[in-house]
């Protein structure tokens, strides 16, 4: 187990906004379940600006550039000491939903989210100096398959299974967070990144000539460039004005058809045929995935982030994908069909 020693940071000092280069000493930032691509990006950014990220993980990596501490996400243990005197807690824990929708998998998806939140709350009550801010991940799936409805933080919830997971997740968080803590819920959608999330699979399909719209193509895609996701995490950690529920999504949600067209153009690929619903179900079964992830969606736009002054570096889909694929090697030279509308 990795042991980290830092000077305690008081709630008063860590509640002040901090900019890169202004940190007087390393602040301990705990990333529970931070071994995925989002946690890795965030840890890298924290370390670059002088903070000390500490990742709580089921399988700590021995060659990690930052400390990793073992925890199972269900029971109190030696890992609790890392929270004492930390400047912030960010919880990203949760089983990947990209799996077959069996009963066992669904139970594990729910359990992994609720149990980790609950045990973190227990740990905070067992230490002398809890972190003054707890940032909790959630999902825009709380709105269900919202079709053409434009959702924001004030929109209602769906009764579908993914939404019930999210409501249980957020309800457990509200019970677990300390009264004196600044509590922030980030409802995360489709984060655009080359190294993780759903985009690499869509990229592979597009390279194989299967980059057409999926199903009806009308399902909403609420997306966010990975760089803006990290910037939002940092803003939420640093700035006491960020509280409550925030929809972590760019201001321009698009349809699946728009996304696939923009991706083909960013990759320099030609038109691809649409994938009918039956083919999506067959492909998902072969890949061990859930077809409903691709066939459902929601159009979300945050009402609160503009009010808080958060500035997106990539506010539109085309600029986000252009940035991600700007240095893509051996981009195909196939001519684009100017009438490509699929």
């Amino acid at each position: 187990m990795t042991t980290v020693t830092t000077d305690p940071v008081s709630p008063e000092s860590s509640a002040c906004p901090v900019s890169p280069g202004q940190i007087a000493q390393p602040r301990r930032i705990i990333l529970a379940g931070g071994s995925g691509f989002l946690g890795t990006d965030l840890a890298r950014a924290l370390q670059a600006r002088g903070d000390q990220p500490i990742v709580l993980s089921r399988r700590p990596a021995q060659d990690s550039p930052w400390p990793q501490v073992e925890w199972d996400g269900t029971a109190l243990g030696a890992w609790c000491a890392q929270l004492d005197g930390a400047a912030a807690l960010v919880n990203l824990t949760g089983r990947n939903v990209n799996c077959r929708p069996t009963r066992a998998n669904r139970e594990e998806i729910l359990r992994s989210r609720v149990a980790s939140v609950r045990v973190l709350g227990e740990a905070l009550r067992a230490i002398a100096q809890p972190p003054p801010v707890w940032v909790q991940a959630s999902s825009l799936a709380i709105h269900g398959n919202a079709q053409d409805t434009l959702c924001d933080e004030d929109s209602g919830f769906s009764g579908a299974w993914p939404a019930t997971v999210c409501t249980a997740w957020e309800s457990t968080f509200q019970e677990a967070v300390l009264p004196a803590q600044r509590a922030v819920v980030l409802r995360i959608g489709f984060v655009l990144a080359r190294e993780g999330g759903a985009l690499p699979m869509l990229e592979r399909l597009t390279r194989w000539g299967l980059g057409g719209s999926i199903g009806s193509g009308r399902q909403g895609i609420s997306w966010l460039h990975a760089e803006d996701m990290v910037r939002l995490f940092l803003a939420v950690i640093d700035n006491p004005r960020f509280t409550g529920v925030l929809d972590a999504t760019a201001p321009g949600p698009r349809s699946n058809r728009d996304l696939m067209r923009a991706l083909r153009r960013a990759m320099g690929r030609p038109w691809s045929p649409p994938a009918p619903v039956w083919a999506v179900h067959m492909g998902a079964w072969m890949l061990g995935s859930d077809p409903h992830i691709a066939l459902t969606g929601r159009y979300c736009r945050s009402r609160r982030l503009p009010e808080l002054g958060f500035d997106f570096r990539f506010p539109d889909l085309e600029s986000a994908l252009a940035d991600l694929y700007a240095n893509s090697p051996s981009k195909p030279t196939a001519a684009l069909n100017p009438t490509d509308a699929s």
Side-chain angles (χ1 to χ4, degrees):
M1 178 177 296
T2 304
T3 302
V4 179
T5 304
T6 61
D7 294 329
V9 180
S10 70
E12 292 78 13
S13 64
S14 63
C16 299
V18 180
S19 300
Q22 294 181 335
I23 299 173
Q25 61 181 5
R27 304 181 307 165
R28 220 169 343 128
I29 311 294
I30 309 302
L31 308 182
S35 57
F37 85 96
L38 281 183
T40 299
D41 282 357
L42 177 56
R44 188 180 296 116
L46 287 166
Q47 189 178 67
R49 73 178 195 171
D51 280 329
Q52 174 64 80
I54 299 178
V55 171
L56 305 183
S57 173
R58 289 176 181 271
R59 293 176 290 275
Q62 298 301 315
D63 58 348
S64 172
W66 40 79
Q68 296 199 11
V69 176
E70 184 175 359
W71 85 314
D72 66 0
T74 62
L76 298 177
W79 59 268
C80 299
Q82 301 298 333
L83 292 170
D84 203 355
L89 165 63
V90 180
N91 184 26
L92 302 169
T93 308
R95 157 121 190 222
N96 194 325
V97 298
N98 190 24
C99 57
R100 286 181 178 156
T102 64
R103 180 176 178 179
N105 284 342
R106 288 189 166 190
E107 288 177 350
E108 176 60 17
I109 287 169
L110 175 60
R111 188 206 63 79
S112 65
R113 285 155 173 75
V114 171
S116 65
V117 172
R118 187 174 291 129
V119 76
L120 284 170
E122 294 172 2
L124 294 173
R125 287 162 175 79
I127 60 178
Q129 190 178 355
V133 56
W134 181 349
V135 183
Q136 174 60 48
S138 182
S139 171
L140 292 171
I142 197 167
H143 300 302
N145 187 24
Q147 299 183 1
D148 294 332
T149 303
L150 183 60
C151 303
D152 63 17
E153 289 89 350
D154 300 322
S155 299
F157 308 148
S158 163
W161 177 78
T164 63
V165 172
C166 295
T167 53
W169 203 3
E170 293 186 14
S171 295
T172 305
F173 173 66
Q174 295 304 330
E175 296 169 359
V177 71
L178 299 176
Q181 279 183 311
R182 180 164 59 91
V184 187
V185 174
L186 288 180
R187 291 176 178 161
I188 302 171
F190 181 9
V191 178
L192 298 177
R194 295 289 303 276
E195 68 281 1
L199 187 60
M201 174 56 72
L202 296 180
E203 178 182 329
R204 285 194 292 273
L205 291 173
T206 301
R207 292 195 186 282
W208 297 339
L210 302 174
S213 58
I214 299 172
S216 70
R218 295 193 299 270
Q219 60 270 39
I221 305 295
S222 299
W223 60 274
L224 184 64
H225 192 295
E227 183 178 329
D228 277 334
M229 185 73 252
V230 170
R231 292 177 59 247
L232 180 56
F233 272 122
L234 297 179
V236 167
I237 289 169
D238 296 341
N239 194 327
R241 295 181 60 233
F242 287 76
T243 61
V245 175
L246 297 169
D247 284 356
T249 182
R254 302 285 286 276
S255 69
N256 170 266
R257 181 179 291 110
D258 286 345
L259 169 67
M260 298 311 297
R261 182 193 303 123
L263 179 58
R264 291 194 303 272
R265 290 176 174 172
M267 294 176 59
R269 303 298 297 183
W271 175 87
S272 295
V277 172
W278 66 264
V280 176
H281 278 269
M282 180 180 294
W285 183 85
M286 294 174 62
L287 295 170
S289 183
D290 184 349
H292 296 94
I293 295 174
L295 294 171
T296 61
R298 57 216 56 90
Y299 294 89
C300 299
R301 179 182 298 154
S302 176
R303 174 186 58 80
R304 298 196 58 220
L305 289 182
E307 294 174 354
L308 291 166
F310 184 77
D311 181 36
F312 294 90
R313 238 166 236 176
F314 302 97
D316 63 90
L317 181 62
E318 285 74 15
S319 68
L321 290 172
D323 175 75
L324 290 169
Y325 290 93
N327 299 314
S328 180
S330 64
K331 180 181 288 188
T333 58
L336 297 179
N337 185 344
T339 62
D340 182 357
S342 297

